[in-house]
Amino acid sequence: TPSNALIETYDVELFFFLNRRYHYPPDQTHVDLIRRTLDPSIQIAYDPMKADPDYLIVGEFSAGWHVYDAVLTPTLFRLILTKGHYQIYQRVR
């Protein structure tokens, strides 16, 4: 990825290795996700597109919580690489 790329991910183990700017959901998002396990009608207010990421990395943690499901559409991101448990998406601009 370009050195000035902004990467969105909820898989915190990557923060140490990215060597790029990154963005992640606020702590309240995780609280809301936990509450949603008890009440599926709870809406998650987090919108990763507000950070305007260039790339999105989905690992086991974010996939398990379905954090990015709403934005993983062909009009927003395209899958460019699968590496182990991680899927790397590039923003469609």
Side-chain angles (χ1 to χ4, degrees), residues 8-82:
E8 171 78 27
T9 188
Y10 199 34
D11 294 272
V12 297
E13 68 276 13
L14 296 177
F15 297 166
F16 301 101
F17 304 109
L18 287 173
N19 197 23
R20 298 284 183 273
R21 297 179 308 133
Y22 59 84
H23 186 268
Y24 54 92
D27 291 339
Q28 184 60 45
T29 300
H30 193 71
V31 172
D32 294 342
L33 290 166
I34 293 168
R35 287 185 178 145
R36 186 174 66 183
T37 64
L38 302 172
D39 180 358
S41 70
I42 290 177
Q43 297 295 312
I44 306 302
Y46 180 65
D47 179 4
M49 300 310 289
K50 287 184 180 179
D52 195 26
D54 299 301
Y55 295 87
L56 174 63
I57 300 176
V58 178
E60 288 184 285
F61 189 74
S62 53
W65 286 105
H66 304 280
V67 176
Y68 299 115
D69 289 3
V71 297
L72 289 177
T73 65
T75 58
L76 294 176
F77 289 97
R78 66 182 176 94
L79 181 66
I80 59 170
L81 179 67
T82 297

